[in-house]
Amino acid sequence: MKKKLLGLFFGFMALSLASQAQDLEGTVTYERNTSYTKMVAKLPFLSQEEKDRAKMMWGNEEGDKQKMKLTFTPDQSLYTYIGEQGETDDGRWSWRQSDYVIQRNFEKGTVTELQEMAGKTYIIQDSLKTPKWKVLNQLKDIAGHICMKAETEDPTNNQKIVAWFADDIPVSTGPERMYGLPGVILELDYNDGVTVVTATKIEMKKVDAKELALPKMKGKKINMAEHDRIIKAHIKDSMEARRNPYWGISLWN
Amino acid sequence: MRHLLLSACLILCACVVEAQTRLSIKGRAVDTTSTALPFTTVMLLTPKDSALVSYARADENGRFELKNARRGTYLLKMSYTGYLPFQTEVTPADGAVTDLGDLKMKPISKELFEVVVKTAKAPLNIRGDTIEYNASSFKVPPGSTVEDLLRRLPGFQVEQDGSIRAQGQEVKRVTVDGKNFFGGDPKTATKNLNADAIDKVQVYTSKTEQSKATGIDDGKKEKTVNLALKEEFKKGGFGKIKAGVGTDKRVDVRGNYNKFDDKQQFAVVGFGNNINQSGMSWDDRQDFYGSSLFRWDETDFGFGGGITSSDGGGDGIIVQGGNIIIMNGGGGDRGFNNTYSGGVNYNFETKKRKFTSNYYFNQRRNWTNQIINRQSILADNAFETDSRSNEYTQNDNHKVQLRYEDNLDSLNTLIVLANGTINNSSYSQDLSQENRRSASQLTNRTTQDNGNSAQTLSLSGSALYRRKFKTKGKSFAASVSYVLNNGDSDAEQRSLNEFFSTSTGLPLTPLQLNLQNVNRNRQNQIRSSLSYVQPLSKRVYWESFYNIGVRNDKVDRDVFNRLEGNVRTDSLSRYYTNQIMHNRLGSGLRYNYKGTNISAGFSAINMNISGKFSSDQNSPNVMEVNRNYTIVVPGVSFNMDLKNNRYLYAEYAGNVQQPSIRDLQPIIDYSNPLYITQGNPDLKPTVNHEAYAGYQYFNPSSFTRFFGNINYNYAVNQVVYNQTIDTLLVTRTRPANVSGGQRFGTYLNVGFPLKKNKANISFNTSINFSRNYTLINDIENRTNNNNYNWGTNLELTPSEKFTFYGNANWSYSDVKYSINTTQNQNIWNQTYSGQMNVKLPWESYFNATFDYRIYKNDRFGLDQNIPILNLAVYKLLGKAKKSEVRLSAYDLFRKNLGITQGASGNYFTQTRVETITRYFMLSYTYNMRGVKANMRRNGGF
């Protein structure tokens, strides 16, 4: 009986979601956190002592945080910062945010990105390429949604990416470069927690076309293959120079 | 045409074949009671690696159809909120459509779902029909054992005797990070391990030990609990020890050990050497203080320049011949040093509370033999002062620091600080000094034998309270501090002062002194500070602060003349009390937008100095000094964050420096008969107007960098020491205020790779112009010092086996004295240095550093070349390279001379200090985390 009631309860939940399904559009707010200690631990040119020292010094510090927003409809999405400047918690000191916008058009199968990397601003335009996902046997609750785990690999900077997607929001979209799962991706985890992008708020609402529009962009136009080449060269050069490549690419992932 | 037909046929055939290989998979998602589960997500995965092939969504009746799938075996996975994901292997039957019928999904137990997934936000692992779960967020009180933790987990039962049941079955084994814990008795692990150390609890069913050992599956399964430890707890710590012995009885021993986890950090450090290494390196400091190293607490709030005091603690400072010798810490690595140091540090840190405590002991014994040549420029001529001294200093310092921070709630923070220092020092000096007229004619000579022993105690305590408000940017802070400095010293001054007639060169009556100087200094200070920030709009903030402080000094100096039966000399003895009170009020605006940050404000400073001076506590003749100053200084700062790693910044501030008490006392001090000082009660505070601006750029792709800045300083009411030098070259000084002293400087640095990651080069240049005023025998002297520097750096890193770092610096100074242009000087300093690292076979390395310095000064006829070569060979030992054996040679050419030269005011000084020269050392290092061969320098991480 108990089970049946529970079933009924979940059934209603699903139904109420499904009734909203006519307009599967809205915004997801993410918090993007990069752990300096975990990043340093992966730098090949540091000794174990240097890594341990960094862990002791900075292990309890909060990471580098950014607030991001994904605006989506079933056909389009736009992912960028919330707010026009980076600032301290008290708001008294501000800094410039590097250019970073990812716009996707699923209908046309195109992606346009504005990104600052290796000291230059680029406009990257290419056709969409869905990551190759593996769907795994784990469930987790993120911002009130039960998410399933999926995994992929990014060969450009050689990292493991874990995505948690909510199949109760059946839009195949997500933050950053990730999409192509049966639901919206609510969490991304790069390289075992070096960078974690977690949804904090999900709003299903009508999206204005303006919210999906690209800002005015200035930069060198390249395609994704050229982007990958630049990143690879930057990582190789930085590692050789005993520098953390993170300091040259934003957002780094 | 025939071709066309043929190709059309082929295309058609291909389509037919294609259609046959593609198929649809149908089914219906239902629960255990066959009720439809609408809108269930259905995924098709490859069985080999769970790769997602396609997905679909069921309709409102739970029916789904996955179309257009290639023929093959799949894993069909269904997901529905509140149910266990359903998974089955599908091998499609012949035909275009495979109907799987009703697929039943099991609900997740409500308890598990609510508690594990919803409340603890812990991931659930699904393995077929069973669930393993990781539980990291179940709150247990600190100090709880794993057993207490398991009691809280849904599906777990812990019996009276400590045996554990999970999902109804008895747990036979508990492993820690997958390994058996103490022979495998589950209770040992759960009763002894601290719950704090556990990251995850995983429950799974595994084969029995027997079947694992034999490799024969007996079909029996047993419940196993695995405790995954938090990463932090896996790290024990790190540490190293080094011991070296060398020729000339050179010894270098050092060691440190650290242990830390996510809450606590513990460190010990100790070292002893006689190779002039008196401090801790930057890495050593990080290892010792841990995360507390960067916790600075500003207890005096404010902006736009502050108030500084030129008074030392009033302790341990003795004035000799106008040079201030600071007993604490002075000396640096000059001469010969024996150093012993050691300390303990403990940090405890959680998000809410942070506690730091440390104790550090430092003993240094220093032997310095030095020769100082000084040229003093007068209007009509110049004179030279040649002094030789032998000094011995012993300094023992004990320091305790405590800090506690409590984040009372999300808006309120309280920080309490306490520091204490005890310092014992003793000092002895043999000095002989001769003053000669320009014609090398000896005019006076002093031979001194001085000694001093001093004890000081410093205590300080502060409390700091910070409050944030719900309104973003609004904040309030208050602090109160108390500082106590007590110093006692007992000095012996014995001197024979001889004078020679300027006309005949014959000796005049000598002056002999034998004084005992007993000092008691008591100082206490109370300070308080308030700060308030109010946002006016999203981008503009109004900031205000107020500081108040009261300082009380009591100094009792008794000077006894040993030559006259130890009689107290009233003219040299002194008793004074004074009180300095300051108030500072400031207010300003701050603006920020997209990386442009601008702030501007004013601060008003009021200072009240009142002092009473007499030769003795009981003396009826009391002189009073009362001064009251009010100064308003502006402060502006500008920072701009430009695109692509470019930054622009500028700042201007007026800094106020209060006159020192010693300079304000209207008393003549004859204790050094060749250098008589007198105070000036009319001194006003100095205001330094300081401005700088800079730009920097770094290209992370090409590694090109540029930075440049300019700075300017203008002094109003600078305190200068006007000198009157009589015919016997006895100097009398009296401080006075002079405005117009200024300094202008600029610095540029450009660096770029010649060949990326193989060769880098950088160039730098700095130009500094300064102008200072003094009165020499009532004539105003302006000293212009124009200083030009050029430098270049070359980094060669052609391979992993060879690296070279070199730099060259040239510096030229042109010093002009307005009162006596014949004394103008040109000073040349050049430095060439290089470091070479070579990797040899068998994990051996070679390192050479070479330092070549050239000092030139035309007027002094100085042309000194000092080449210093250090060599080392070392070999890393063991598989994990945890040890290192090193043979090093220091100053192979025996050329080390501590030499410095510089011009300021109306004099030029050159100092040579005897110091450590050639020695060889054999040392052994053991590093728990492995020794790293330093072939290449880190470029920032």
Side-chain angles (χ1 to χ4, degrees):
Chain A
M1 188 60 205
K2 224 176 167 184
K3 264 187 183 175
K4 219 173 185 177
L5 268 177
L6 192 74
L8 218 61
F9 165 71
F10 285 125
F12 271 118
M13 260 176 56
L15 266 176
S16 59
L17 268 169
S19 63
Q20 287 170 5
Q22 285 93 334
D23 41 312
L24 278 168
E25 50 188 79
T27 56
V28 185
T29 306
Y30 295 92
E31 190 171 79
R32 192 181 203 281
N33 195 347
T34 302
S35 158
Y36 175 71
T37 320
K38 284 186 179 165
M39 184 194 301
V40 161
K42 306 228 184 242
L43 294 177
F45 55 85
L46 293 183
S47 71
Q48 191 55 48
E49 189 185 38
E50 286 166 319
K51 290 175 186 177
D52 282 2
R53 181 176 296 129
K55 186 170 183 166
M56 180 174 79
M57 297 299 295
W58 309 111
N60 283 344
E61 295 291 313
E62 288 195 347
D64 186 6
K65 277 187 182 168
Q66 267 126 356
K67 283 209 165 150
M68 311 298 295
K69 188 164 84 173
L70 175 76
T71 310
F72 67 93
T73 66
D75 297 333
Q76 283 187 66
S77 75
L78 187 98
Y79 179 72
T80 188
Y81 303 102
I82 293 182
E84 52 192 352
Q85 64 180 31
E87 57 183 30
T88 49
D89 287 341
D90 63 10
R92 286 163 68 195
W93 184 265
S94 75
W95 55 88
R96 188 187 156 269
Q97 281 169 339
S98 316
D99 294 327
Y100 184 83
V101 182
I102 296 182
Q103 191 211 44
R104 281 182 296 233
N105 191 323
F106 296 105
E107 247 181 344
K108 294 183 191 157
T110 56
V111 61
T112 306
E113 296 186 8
L114 180 70
Q115 198 185 3
E116 226 171 290
M117 50 186 191
K120 226 173 172 175
T121 305
Y122 293 94
I123 298 169
I124 308 153
Q125 282 174 322
D126 214 322
S127 54
L128 275 166
K129 278 183 198 74
T130 315
K132 289 197 166 61
W133 291 107
K134 288 178 185 178
V135 178
L136 304 173
N137 289 323
Q138 262 188 46
L139 297 180
K140 187 163 98 162
D141 176 281
I142 297 156
H145 294 263
I146 301 300
C147 295
M148 281 189 110
K149 188 181 184 181
E151 221 178 70
T152 190
E153 270 186 32
D154 171 13
T156 315
N157 37 5
N158 202 10
Q159 54 188 356
K160 191 179 99 184
I161 301 168
V162 171
W164 295 84
F165 64 97
D167 60 7
D168 58 357
I169 312 171
V171 185
S172 181
T173 192
E176 326 240 309
R177 294 207 169 87
M178 299 300 134
Y179 71 100
L181 286 162
V184 175
I185 296 168
L186 295 185
E187 187 172 293
L188 281 178
D189 179 318
Y190 296 94
N191 269 341
D192 304 314
V194 172
T195 299
V196 179
V197 185
T198 308
T200 52
K201 199 168 82 184
I202 298 138
E203 283 176 290
M204 302 301 289
K205 59 173 189 202
K206 197 94 191 116
V207 169
D208 198 337
K210 262 191 237 163
E211 291 176 72
L212 292 162
L214 283 165
K216 265 191 188 167
M217 298 193 296
K218 246 169 85 183
K220 194 182 171 192
K221 281 187 186 166
I222 55 170
N223 61 24
M224 211 40 102
E226 285 166 308
H227 160 270
D228 291 354
R229 254 199 313 278
I230 292 165
I231 297 264
K232 273 191 171 161
H234 172 74
I235 292 172
K236 187 176 159 278
D237 287 346
S238 301
M239 293 298 189
E240 264 180 42
R242 308 288 195 268
R243 283 183 63 84
N244 187 345
Y246 169 77
W247 305 118
I249 293 173
S250 59
L251 302 173
W252 169 264
N253 52 54
Chain B
M1 189 63 200
R2 246 174 49 197
H3 282 293
L4 204 69
L5 258 176
L6 195 66
S7 20
C9 275
L10 275 174
I11 290 169
L12 204 69
C13 286
C15 288
V16 171
V17 170
E18 181 71 14
Q20 277 174 348
T21 55
R22 298 283 177 167
L23 61 111
S24 278
I25 297 167
K26 279 165 78 168
R28 194 169 81 105
V30 294
D31 71 2
T32 41
T33 61
S34 293
T35 313
L37 297 173
F39 309 116
T40 299
T41 306
V42 188
M43 288 167 270
L44 221 46
L45 314 175
T46 59
K48 194 178 67 184
D49 58 0
S50 301
L52 183 65
V53 178
S54 74
Y55 58 87
R57 223 165 147 71
D59 62 12
E60 62 272 22
N61 299 318
R63 292 188 191 284
F64 64 86
E65 185 173 0
L66 290 149
K67 291 175 185 164
N68 224 8
R70 267 176 206 280
R71 190 164 292 276
T73 306
Y74 290 105
L75 214 54
L76 182 121
K77 194 178 192 119
M78 298 198 302
S79 154
Y80 190 85
T81 306
Y83 286 75
L84 275 177
F86 175 91
Q87 194 165 304
T88 185
E89 208 172 86
V90 178
T91 310
D94 292 343
V97 178
T98 299
D99 194 339
L100 299 171
D102 282 6
L103 301 168
K104 286 186 180 174
M105 293 181 78
K106 284 186 195 165
I108 301 174
S109 98
K110 191 187 174 199
E111 189 188 34
L112 219 54
F113 190 76
E114 290 291 318
V115 180
V116 180
V117 183
K118 284 285 179 193
T119 313
K121 298 206 181 292
L124 274 182
N125 282 315
I126 295 106
R127 210 173 267 194
D129 255 8
T130 62
I131 298 173
E132 315 169 357
Y133 53 90
N134 308 329
S136 56
S137 326
F138 290 92
K139 292 273 179 298
V140 284
S144 301
T145 59
V146 169
E147 198 179 281
D148 301 325
L149 174 71
L150 293 184
R151 280 207 176 90
R152 302 204 169 208
L153 298 185
F156 269 94
Q157 286 165 284
V158 181
E159 307 294 339
Q160 281 292 310
D161 64 347
S163 62
I164 308 156
R165 298 180 80 81
Q167 286 138 25
Q169 268 184 285
E170 193 185 347
V171 173
K172 288 275 189 336
R173 228 141 45 88
V174 174
T175 57
V176 177
D177 274 341
K179 290 179 192 121
N180 278 340
F181 190 80
F182 297 139
D185 177 6
K187 286 170 255 176
T188 347
T190 53
K191 278 186 183 299
N192 290 311
L193 263 177
N194 203 318
D196 277 353
I198 309 297
D199 187 30
K200 289 170 181 169
V201 178
Q202 299 162 328
V203 191
Y204 56 94
T205 317
S206 71
K207 291 175 190 173
T208 59
E209 279 297 293
Q210 201 187 340
S211 70
K212 272 187 191 166
T214 57
I216 303 159
D217 193 346
D218 55 7
K220 285 183 203 161
K221 297 276 164 72
E222 58 183 32
K223 278 268 183 249
T224 300
V225 169
N226 180 44
L227 304 168
L229 295 181
K230 278 183 190 163
E231 213 180 328
E232 286 82 0
F233 281 82
K234 291 177 185 170
K235 304 285 182 193
F238 55 95
K240 56 180 177 288
I241 188 157
K242 179 188 175 182
V245 282
T247 54
D248 274 0
K249 293 182 184 161
R250 298 282 156 222
V251 182
D252 180 19
V253 180
R254 54 185 62 224
N256 71 294
Y257 178 70
N258 290 68
K259 200 171 160 62
F260 68 97
D261 57 39
D262 60 339
K263 286 202 186 71
Q264 303 184 81
Q265 302 179 348
F266 172 77
V268 275
V269 68
F271 63 85
N273 70 64
N274 54 7
I275 55 166
N276 282 7
Q277 292 190 355
S278 55
M280 287 198 276
S281 72
W282 179 240
D283 283 347
D284 290 343
R285 284 171 60 81
Q286 293 193 54
D287 293 350
F288 182 64
Y289 292 106
S291 59
S292 70
L293 180 61
F294 299 104
R295 300 208 195 290
W296 293 302
D297 303 294
E298 187 56 69
T299 50
D300 293 323
F301 315 126
F303 52 79
I307 316 168
T308 50
S309 155
S310 54
D311 290 294
D315 52 71
I317 292 178
I318 46 177
V319 179
Q320 275 157 342
N323 297 322
I324 297 174
I325 298 163
I326 300 163
M327 301 290 293
N328 307 354
D333 292 332
R334 303 160 76 237
F336 300 88
N337 291 285
N338 283 5
T339 309
Y340 302 96
S341 274
V344 218
N345 183 67
Y346 173 76
N347 299 339
F348 174 83
E349 275 194 26
T350 60
K351 278 227 157 30
K352 190 171 155 41
R353 292 191 180 91
K354 294 180 172 62
F355 172 74
T356 295
S357 59
N358 57 60
Y359 164 75
Y360 196 78
F361 168 73
N362 181 59
Q363 184 193 72
R364 206 176 79 224
R365 284 182 285 162
N366 170 274
W367 291 265
T368 300
N369 296 324
Q370 64 181 348
I371 299 172
I372 303 173
N373 296 314
R374 179 159 140 162
Q375 180 119 340
S376 305
I377 287 91
L378 306 178
D380 45 351
N381 57 13
F383 68 92
E384 271 183 41
T385 310
D386 297 325
S387 49
R388 288 167 181 276
S389 72
N390 288 314
E391 291 162 28
Y392 168 72
T393 313
Q394 177 172 340
N395 202 59
D396 293 357
N397 191 283
H398 304 262
K399 193 171 180 183
V400 175
Q401 291 180 307
L402 299 169
R403 181 187 186 275
Y404 175 69
E405 175 183 329
D406 198 328
N407 293 295
L408 305 164
D409 53 46
S410 61
L411 298 174
N412 295 287
T413 305
L414 181 70
I415 297 168
V416 182
L417 307 163
N419 294 321
T421 306
I422 296 174
N423 197 79
N424 290 316
S425 62
S426 61
Y427 171 76
S428 64
Q429 182 198 39
D430 286 319
L431 170 82
S432 75
Q433 182 178 308
E434 290 176 347
N435 279 313
R436 291 168 193 276
R437 290 260 166 214
S438 42
S440 298
Q441 188 190 358
L442 183 63
T443 310
N444 68 43
R445 176 163 59 204
T446 178
T447 315
Q448 298 185 4
D449 176 7
N450 297 318
N452 185 15
S453 70
Q455 296 80 43
T456 61
L457 168 73
S458 305
L459 295 172
S460 70
S462 302
L464 179 63
Y465 167 73
R466 280 200 291 256
R467 179 172 172 79
K468 288 190 261 181
F469 294 85
K470 291 258 156 59
T471 314
K472 186 175 165 189
K474 185 171 172 174
S475 71
F476 169 78
S479 78
V480 59
S481 305
Y482 177 76
V483 182
L484 174 94
N485 281 307
N486 285 348
D488 292 306
S489 69
D490 189 342
E492 298 283 344
Q493 290 171 284
R494 283 179 286 270
S495 65
L496 174 65
N497 306 283
E498 299 162 273
F499 302 93
F500 302 89
S501 162
T502 42
S503 47
T504 61
L506 294 172
L508 306 170
T509 327
L511 184 64
Q512 200 173 358
L513 282 181
N514 189 346
L515 303 173
Q516 187 193 11
N517 186 334
V518 182
N519 262 299
R520 266 169 64 87
N521 297 344
R522 296 292 174 266
Q523 186 193 81
N524 64 65
Q525 187 175 19
I526 296 174
R527 291 198 307 265
S528 181
S529 204
L530 300 172
S531 156
Y532 179 71
V533 180
Q534 172 74 45
L536 299 179
S537 78
K538 213 177 155 190
R539 314 215 184 286
V540 182
Y541 296 83
W542 176 42
E543 304 177 334
S544 301
F545 66 87
Y546 175 64
N547 308 149
I548 181 167
V550 181
R551 190 181 111 182
N552 284 296
D553 289 75
K554 201 184 341 175
V555 174
D556 185 4
R557 181 163 119 184
D558 292 313
V559 178
F560 302 94
N561 191 340
R562 297 239 195 236
L563 295 173
E564 290 170 19
N566 237 4
V567 175
R568 188 172 184 279
T569 313
D570 282 355
S571 63
L572 296 174
S573 299
R574 183 144 331 140
Y575 176 78
Y576 72 83
T577 57
N578 63 272
Q579 189 179 68
I580 302 174
M581 185 160 165
H582 78 263
N583 284 280
R584 189 162 80 114
L585 180 70
S587 194
L589 293 175
R590 172 183 291 279
Y591 166 84
N592 76 66
Y593 179 59
K594 284 189 177 178
T596 299
N597 295 278
I598 302 168
S599 71
F602 281 92
S603 61
I605 298 159
N606 174 265
M607 261 189 276
N608 192 314
I609 302 173
S610 66
K612 289 191 171 82
F613 307 87
S614 58
S615 65
D616 189 8
Q617 284 94 310
N618 309 317
S619 164
N621 300 323
V622 178
M623 278 185 281
E624 289 194 21
V625 175
N626 280 301
R627 289 290 172 269
N628 195 37
Y629 315 101
T630 302
I631 298 167
V632 178
V633 283
V636 183
S637 110
F638 168 82
N639 278 271
M640 202 167 161
D641 206 346
L642 300 162
K643 213 172 181 181
N644 295 328
N645 305 303
R646 279 172 244 248
Y647 304 92
L648 189 65
Y649 46 91
E651 195 173 302
Y652 159 73
N655 290 304
V656 180
Q657 186 170 34
Q658 70 189 39
S660 76
I661 301 304
R662 187 163 43 83
D663 286 345
L664 284 171
Q665 290 174 30
I667 293 165
I668 301 170
D669 186 340
Y670 293 101
S671 57
N672 183 344
L674 297 183
Y675 202 94
I676 297 160
T677 60
Q678 184 181 2
N680 177 359
D682 297 325
L683 284 180
K684 294 189 203 75
T686 305
V687 180
N688 272 307
H689 295 275
E690 289 175 19
Y692 75 86
Y695 172 80
Q696 69 182 62
Y697 164 69
F698 176 71
N699 185 323
S701 166
S702 66
F703 297 146
T704 301
R705 61 170 194 269
F706 171 84
F707 43 92
N709 66 54
I710 51 172
N711 55 76
Y712 178 73
N713 179 24
Y714 184 87
V716 175
N717 289 326
Q718 183 185 359
V719 175
V720 297
Y721 297 89
N722 290 335
Q723 300 175 22
T724 315
I725 294 133
D726 66 14
T727 50
L728 293 176
L729 299 180
V730 173
T731 305
R732 288 159 192 272
T733 72
R734 185 170 186 271
N737 289 118
V738 172
S739 294
Q742 51 190 298
R743 203 178 62 228
F744 172 77
T746 170
Y747 177 77
L748 290 176
N749 187 315
V750 186
F752 52 88
L754 294 169
K755 190 166 191 302
K756 207 177 212 177
N757 281 330
K758 303 288 181 208
N760 288 317
I761 196 160
S762 76
F763 300 96
N764 64 74
T765 175
S766 70
I767 300 169
N768 296 293
F769 302 128
S770 71
R771 182 189 290 174
N772 283 295
Y773 293 93
T774 39
L775 277 183
I776 312 290
N777 290 342
D778 298 325
I779 303 166
E780 187 187 82
N781 171 50
R782 190 186 69 224
T783 308
N784 279 340
N785 190 338
N786 295 348
N787 171 256
Y788 309 85
N789 293 289
W790 305 269
T792 176
N793 270 282
L794 180 69
E795 292 182 7
L796 296 176
T797 48
S799 78
E800 293 301 312
K801 293 194 170 171
F802 176 85
T803 57
F804 173 83
Y805 297 88
N807 61 64
N809 285 290
W810 300 270
S811 154
Y812 169 73
S813 294
D814 172 17
V815 188
K816 291 196 169 84
Y817 303 96
S818 67
I819 49 164
N820 192 337
T821 51
T822 58
Q823 296 296 329
N824 292 351
Q825 302 184 19
N826 301 322
I827 305 166
W828 271 98
N829 287 345
Q830 294 172 58
T831 310
Y832 304 93
S833 57
Q835 186 195 351
M836 184 175 78
N837 301 295
V838 185
K839 187 177 183 204
L840 306 170
W842 307 296
E843 286 301 331
S844 299
Y845 297 84
F846 170 75
N847 164 283
T849 58
F850 181 62
D851 202 34
Y852 189 62
R853 288 169 195 273
I854 301 167
Y855 299 94
K856 271 188 192 161
N857 185 326
D858 313 345
R859 277 217 56 79
F860 263 71
L862 175 78
D863 190 352
Q864 191 93 43
N865 297 352
I866 305 173
I868 293 173
L869 178 68
N870 304 328
L871 300 175
V873 249
Y874 57 102
K875 181 173 161 53
L876 306 187
L877 304 173
K879 231 183 196 170
K881 297 178 192 169
K882 286 186 176 177
S883 321
E884 177 205 273
V885 176
R886 180 185 289 253
L887 179 66
S888 41
Y890 176 78
D891 184 19
L892 213 62
F893 303 139
R894 259 184 191 282
K895 291 283 186 188
N896 198 12
L897 264 178
I899 200 163
T900 49
Q901 62 175 348
S904 71
N906 68 319
Y907 54 82
F908 170 85
T909 311
Q910 189 206 336
T911 310
R912 294 167 203 233
V913 183
E914 215 179 290
T915 188
I916 296 181
T917 59
R918 183 171 66 203
Y919 68 86
F920 299 90
M921 183 172 270
L922 182 68
S923 59
Y924 172 79
T925 303
Y926 176 80
N927 187 326
M928 285 170 63
R929 289 276 179 249
V931 181
K932 188 185 179 187
N934 277 321
M935 290 290 295
R936 275 185 84 153
R937 295 176 185 170
N938 282 335
F941 55 89

